[in-house]
């Protein structure tokens, strides 16, 4: 240590000494009085200009007597009166006596201005029992003075009494008694003054103690929190105990004014105070030893710790008189202890410990306080509690710790910068690697899936299972790659949200569809308790989907058997969504860790479920980015509940509002009358479905209006309503919509149309494999990922519409081919009938020949494969066919017609009605020996033309659709019925309805647009 620092330390000690003397001068106990022969005139001694007076001098003393005030002037009493200084000569009187008592008396004269004003007498720390009388009245006492030792009790705490007088004369009597305890503290005088001045003096003394105690208590509480939260070290423990010891020392200090005035026995209080000083010394040693471990003289610390413990045992076991007699030993040890601490701090300062000079100054302040305390008790100095040394030491130590904290903060910040750079490098590497891995991973998955789906591949069951496992692992890796990319975007603050009204019920249904392959084969039930009427959320639908998928996938992952429940409620304007499982649960200590990136909770139970630990981290970030919170409650062996909040959509719109629309409004980008025109050279009709009109407009502008007629629908209900009335070549639908999703629309369409009859193209903002799989499983033909690439959209739409056109053309050509394949037996029988009638009935022959010629011309003409013909043309063909059959079979065929519609304005796929009538004749009435009747009706019904073909034939022996399936591929009639069913469904939106019972005939009904 250099000379400059030594000079600074000396100057610091001089400063501390100067502050102490300034304190003593500032809070002087008042002016001394001159009491002589038990009397004093306070007016003459200037009490008017002095607030507080010291009652020092010769008091009247009556040894071994406790004289009542009213007997003070008796002649018998005054014979034993002597004059003694109080209280110092009282201490000398009781020395070496087992029990003493006496009465002190003082006659004082005060100024008239003090008459009838509150006055006070302050009794300092006094080891004897005492009672104070003023003008014959008892105004206060401490302990119980008595002439009998057994009735005696003392109390060493200072106190004051308040009283008033009606005259300028004061008679003050003090009865005292004392046992054999030695007196080992300063002999302070009694104070007299106005009550306000005495109370102010006491309050100042108490305030200084409270300041020190509050400061040390705050440090103690802070260290306790640190110790029990994270900083569980010996250093924190010893520092907290040191601060707590200082707080207790101040609390039990009796000088000036006592903070703790509980009726504790004087012996117990004395021993407890000494033990507090001993423990402070021990904790100071242990704290400094752990604070500067490299500079600690451990052998000396060990020796002094043992000495203090021995002294503490002696304090507990020995009588208090012996302890007080040799109390100076404790002071010497404490001074040596402080010097050792200073020596260690000096060594640390020389060793270059940053800011250790502040510690050296703090130690000097502590040493200064210890030395003055030793001087005070050895020389009986009248000094009240002095707080500045302790406060300065604590502030210096706090300053050192703050400097140390700032130094550590700078070091940690520097390390954090390096760690952030390392983390960024790692995240960049993971993000770049993820992008690079995505394409080859998907290629491998596609190859494996192709091998699985190719019927020409002959692979064993084991190999097939291995390939399925490969695809499943690939899906998990794909999800992980997407999570890594999302996490990097979140950290770079590049993740953008597109908040809008989102249907929670639909989102959950979509996620459950995506998880169908995950829970397949597991004894798990997922229950969706969220009603379709739940209010819309103000959220990013894609990110909400990701949140739900992560939480539900996590629940499925850690639930071997049981139930997973998802439910929601509205609380304080927020949607509160819960995912509860009956899985293994999470330990309390691990709950906070599960939301940390790359943090995977490991245990014996979770070893079978390895992971990266980023799914929940991303989920928490996505919830918070949308203004919500995510919490978790879990119990081991019972299950886990994840609870997150999302804001409701503004206006709290319910999905029920969509269901209330009775007449769906369907808009088109082209003018259309709603009437079906002759579809020659007709453009492809597209139905665009999206809940946002701007998306419909954008998609429509990307498509060629000369090639496509585009119609808009704002929701699934409108789309279904339109499909029930119109014919379309392609449906383009968004996946995420309120009420019902694009997946729901696809399923509803597939109930009526197969993949070739009405293609469906789904638009989605998510390109995850599980999203695409869910769409294809629902029945979609193709997918386009948003943002839409114009060339990709145009190409995919063209392919799907061309496919639809090809399928339609195939059906028309099939119908034409069926008609062209005229049964030779039919021609032969008809010609024979013509020859027979030539001789029998030439008029009938002419009619039959006319019908036969028209039938042949029409059949061969249908090879042109027109899409539609008028109902009038179709009925003429039916009439020709029935005319031929009636000529052949006579009365076995009875035909009735009811045509109540304009047949020229209604169109029908060619050969549809004729095929059904031919089927009714051949497979219905002609199966009876006697024949039967056929009724053909065409009537208006619900703005449609309803066609009914009724026969009284044998009926079908089985359910109709099963019959069609069984016979469709084996004979011409079955093919014709299937072809008719498909063409009618494509044109009118619905196929044929058949009601048939064995022996009771068959009724076929279908409807055509008007």
């Amino acid at each position: 240590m250099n000379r400059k620092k030594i000079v600074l330390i000396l100057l610091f000690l001089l400063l501390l000494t100067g502050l102490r003397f300034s304190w003593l001068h500032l809070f002087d106990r008042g002016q001394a009085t001159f009491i002589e022969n038990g009397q004093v005139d306070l007016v003459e001694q200037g009490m008017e200009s002095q607030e507080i007076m010291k009652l020092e001098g010769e008091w009247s003393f009556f040894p071994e007597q406790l004289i009542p005030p009213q007997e003070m002037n008796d002649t018998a009493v005054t014979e034993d009166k002597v004059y003694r200084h109080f209280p110092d000569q009282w201490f000398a009187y009781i020395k070496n006596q087992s029990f003493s008592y006496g009465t002190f008396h003082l006659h004082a004269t005060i100024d008239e201005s003090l008459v009838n004003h509150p006055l006070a007498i302050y009794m300092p720390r006094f080891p004897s029992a005492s009672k104070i009388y003023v003008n014959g009245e008892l105004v206060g006492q401490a302990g119980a003075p008595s002439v009998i030792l057994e009735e005696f009790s003392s109390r060493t705490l200072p106190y004051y009494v308040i009283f008033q007088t009606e005259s300028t004369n004061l008679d003050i009597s003090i009865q005292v008694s004392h046992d054999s305890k030695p007196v080992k503290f300063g002999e302070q005088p009694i104070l007299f003054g106005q009550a306000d001045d005495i109370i102010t003096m006491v309050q100042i003394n108490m305030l200084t103690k409270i300041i020190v105690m509050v400061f040390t208590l705050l440090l103690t509480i802070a260290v306790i929190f640190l110790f029990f939260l994270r900083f569980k070290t010996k250093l924190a423990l010893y520092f907290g105990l040191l601060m707590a010891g200082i707080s207790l020392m101040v609390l039990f200090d009796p000088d000036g004014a006592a903070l703790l005035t509980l009726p504790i026995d004087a012996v117990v209080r004395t021993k407890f105070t000494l033990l507090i000083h001993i423990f402070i010394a021990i904790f100071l040693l242990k704290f400094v030893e752990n604070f500067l471990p490299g500079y600690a003289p451990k052998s000396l610390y060990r020796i002094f710790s043992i000495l203090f413990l021995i002294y503490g045992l002696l304090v507990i076991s020995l009588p208090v008189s012996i302890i007080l007699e040799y109390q100076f030993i404790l002071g010497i040890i404490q001074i040596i202890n402080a010097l050792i601490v200073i020596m260690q701090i000096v060594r640390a300062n020389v060793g270059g410990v940053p800011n250790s000079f502040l510690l050296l100054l703090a130690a000097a302040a502590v040493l200064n306080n210890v030395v003055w305390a030793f001087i005070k008790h050895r020389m009986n100095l009248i000094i009240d509690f002095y707080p500045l040394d302790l406060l300065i030491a604590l502030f210096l130590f706090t300053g050192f710790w703050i400097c140390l904290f700032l130094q550590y903060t700078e070091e940690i910040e520097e390390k954090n910068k390096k760690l952030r750079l390392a983390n960024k490098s790692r995240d960049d590497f993971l993000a770049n690697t993820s992008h690079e891995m995505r394409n080859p991973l998907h290629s491998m998955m596609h190859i494996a899936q192709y091998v699985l789906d190719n019927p020409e591949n002959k692979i064993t069951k084991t190999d097939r299972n291995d390939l399925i496992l490969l695809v499943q692992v690939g899906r998990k890796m794909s999800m992980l790659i997407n999570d890594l990319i999302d996490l990097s975007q979140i950290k770079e603050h590049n993740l953008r949200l597109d908040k809008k009204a989102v249907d929670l019920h639909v989102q959950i249904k979509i996620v459950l569809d995506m998880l169908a392959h995950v829970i397949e084969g597991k004894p798990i039930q997922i229950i969706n308790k969220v009603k379709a009427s739940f209010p819309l959320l103000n959220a990013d639908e894609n990110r909400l989907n990701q949140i739900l998928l992560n939480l539900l996938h996590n629940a499925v992952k850690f639930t071997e058997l049981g139930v997973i429940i998802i439910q929601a409620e509205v609380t304080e304007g927020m949607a509160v969504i819960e995912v509860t499982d009956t899985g293994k649960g999470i330990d309390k200590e691990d709950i906070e860790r599960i939301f940390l990136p790359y943090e995977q909770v490991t245990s014996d139970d979770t070893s079978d479920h390895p992971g990266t630990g980023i799914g929940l981290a991303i989920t928490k970030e996505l919830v918070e980015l949308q203004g919500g919170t995510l919490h978790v409650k879990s119990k081991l062996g019972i299950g886990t509940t994840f609870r997150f909040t999302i804001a409701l959509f503004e206006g709290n719109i319910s999905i029920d509002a969509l269901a209330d629309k009775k007449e769906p409004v369907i808009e088109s980008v082209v003018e259309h009358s709603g009437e079906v025109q002759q579809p020659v050279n007709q453009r492809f009709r597209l139905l665009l479905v999206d809940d946002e009109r701007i998306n419909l407009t954008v998609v429509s502008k990307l498509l060629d209006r000369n090639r496509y007629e585009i119609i808009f629908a704002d929701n699934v209900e409108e789309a279904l309503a339109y499909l029930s009335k119109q014919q379309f070549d392609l449906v383009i639908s968004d996946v995420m919509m309120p009420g019902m999703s694009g997946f729901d629309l696809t399923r509803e369409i597939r109930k009526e149309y197969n993949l070739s009859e009405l293609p469906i193209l789904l638009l989605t903002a998510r390109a995850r494999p599980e999203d695409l799989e869910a769409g294809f499983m629902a029945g979609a033909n193709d997918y386009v990922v948003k943002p839409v690439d114009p060339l990709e959209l145009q190409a995919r739409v063209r392919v799907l519409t061309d496919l639809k056109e090809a399928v339609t053309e195939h059906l028309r050509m099939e119908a034409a081919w069926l008609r062209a394949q005229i049964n030779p037996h039919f021609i032969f029988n008809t010609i024979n009938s013509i020859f027979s009638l030539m001789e029998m009935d030439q008029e009938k022959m002419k009619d039959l020949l006319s019908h036969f010629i028209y039938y042949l011309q029409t059949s061969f003409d249908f090879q042109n494969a027109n899409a539609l013909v008028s109902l009038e043309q179709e009925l003429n063909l039916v009439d020709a066919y029935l005319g031929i059959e009636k000529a052949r079979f006579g009365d076995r065929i009875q035909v009735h017609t009811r045509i109540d519609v304009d047949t020229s304005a209604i169109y029908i796929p060619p050969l549809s009605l004729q095929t059904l009538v031919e089927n009714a004749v051949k497979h219905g009435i002609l199966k009876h020996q006697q024949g039967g009747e056929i009724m053909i009706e065409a009537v208006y019904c619900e703005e449609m033309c309803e066609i009914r073909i009724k026969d009284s034939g044998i009926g079908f022996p089985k359910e109709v659709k099963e019959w069609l399936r069984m016979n469709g591929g084996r004979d011409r009639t079955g093919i014709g019925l299937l072809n008719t069913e498909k063409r009618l469904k494509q044109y009118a939106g619905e196929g044929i309805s058949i009601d048939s019972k064995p022996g009771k005939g068959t009724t076929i009904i279908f409807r055509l647009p008007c």
Side-chain angles (χ1 to χ4, degrees), residues 336-590:
I336 298 174
N337 182 43
L339 291 174
I340 294 174
V341 171
I342 291 175
M343 181 180 68
Q344 180 179 351
I345 296 174
V346 170
R347 291 176 63 187
N349 184 261
V350 174
V353 175
N355 304 307
S356 58
F357 188 68
L358 292 175
L359 279 181
L360 195 57
L361 295 179
V366 172
L367 179 62
N368 183 70
N369 188 73
V370 172
V371 171
W372 273 97
F374 181 77
I375 294 173
K376 170 184 173 181
H377 289 289
R378 295 305 300 170
M379 300 182 64
N380 293 329
L381 296 179
I382 304 173
I383 301 175
D384 286 338
F385 178 78
Y386 179 69
L388 295 186
D389 285 345
L390 284 176
L391 288 175
I392 291 173
L394 291 173
F395 276 118
L396 287 171
F397 180 77
T398 305
F400 170 79
W401 219 328
I402 291 174
C403 293
L404 192 64
F405 172 76
L406 294 176
Q407 177 188 345
Y408 287 161
T409 302
E410 291 178 1
E411 294 177 358
I412 292 172
E413 184 63 30
E414 186 65 26
K415 292 179 180 178
N416 284 340
K417 287 181 181 178
K418 295 180 180 179
L419 287 174
R420 281 194 291 269
L421 289 175
N423 286 338
K424 188 177 185 303
S425 300
R426 179 198 62 193
D427 294 337
D428 292 342
F429 171 77
L430 290 174
N432 295 333
T433 305
S434 300
H435 284 289
E436 294 297 329
M437 289 175 60
R438 177 184 284 178
N439 290 334
L441 174 63
H442 287 182
S443 298
M444 289 187 289
M445 293 171 58
H446 295 160
I447 293 172
Q449 193 66 51
Y450 170 76
V451 173
L452 281 171
D453 297 338
N454 191 347
E456 298 180 0
N457 292 330
K458 297 181 179 180
I459 56 178
T460 64
K461 182 177 181 181
T462 302
D463 292 338
R464 177 173 293 277
N465 292 335
D466 291 341
L467 285 173
I468 293 173
L469 179 61
L470 176 63
V471 173
Q472 291 176 347
V473 172
R475 287 171 179 163
K476 291 182 180 180
M477 288 187 64
S478 180
M479 292 176 64
L480 171 60
I481 289 173
N482 291 325
D483 285 341
L484 288 172
I485 294 173
D486 288 342
L487 185 62
S488 64
Q489 289 180 337
I490 290 173
K491 289 188 175 182
E492 295 294 333
H493 304 288
N494 292 331
L495 193 66
R496 296 183 179 179
L497 299 178
D498 181 19
K499 288 189 176 183
K500 59 181 180 180
V502 179
D503 188 336
L504 177 62
H505 180 75
V506 173
Q507 292 294 315
I508 295 173
K509 289 171 63 179
I510 292 173
V511 171
L512 294 182
D513 289 337
M514 294 164 61
L515 290 174
H517 71 281
V518 179
I519 64 174
E520 185 177 356
K522 294 186 71 174
I524 298 174
Q525 182 183 9
I526 301 180
I527 301 175
N528 178 15
K529 291 189 175 181
V530 179
K531 297 181 179 179
S533 60
F534 194 81
L536 299 179
L537 308 183
N538 185 25
D540 186 310
E541 59 184 357
N542 297 320
R543 298 306 175 183
L544 178 61
N545 181 283
Q546 188 174 356
I547 292 168
L548 293 170
L549 179 61
N550 283 344
L551 293 179
L552 285 169
H553 186 272
N554 198 67
V556 172
K557 180 179 178 181
F558 292 100
T559 302
E560 299 296 334
L561 172 66
V563 179
I564 298 172
I565 300 174
I566 181 166
Q567 54 191 345
E569 62 180 2
V570 177
T571 303
E572 298 180 356
M574 299 286 286
V576 182
I577 304 148
E578 289 186 355
V579 177
T580 303
D581 63 61
T582 57
K584 298 177 181 178
I586 307 171
D587 195 348
K588 288 183 178 180
E589 297 180 355
D590 296 329

Side-chain angles (χ1 to χ4, degrees), residues 823-834 848 884 888-889:
N823 194 320
H825 292 287
F826 176 77
I827 296 176
F828 181 77
N829 293 331
T830 302
I831 293 175
N832 284 337
S833 298
I834 292 173
L848 176 59
I884 295 172
R888 293 177 57 201
F889 298 101

Side-chain angles (χ1 to χ4, degrees), residues 21 38 111 147 188 326 385 395 416 426 481 485 520 561 646 694 721 802 836 914:
F21 282 113
D111 189 81
V147 297
Q188 302 181 30
Y326 297 98
F385 178 78
F395 276 118
N416 284 340
R426 179 198 62 193
I481 289 173
I485 294 173
E520 185 177 356
L561 172 66
I646 294 290
I694 187 172
D802 288 347
S836 298
Q914 189 275 333

Side-chain angles (χ1 to χ4, degrees), residues 9 70 111 196 308 338 357 363 391 405 435 569 647 667 673 819 825 864 882 938 1000:
I9 293 173
Q70 58 273 18
D111 189 81
D196 292 341
F308 280 123
F357 188 68
L391 288 175
F405 172 76
H435 284 289
E569 62 180 2
E667 299 186 23
S673 62
R819 193 64 250 171
H825 292 287
N864 294 326
L882 291 175
K1000 295 185 178 181

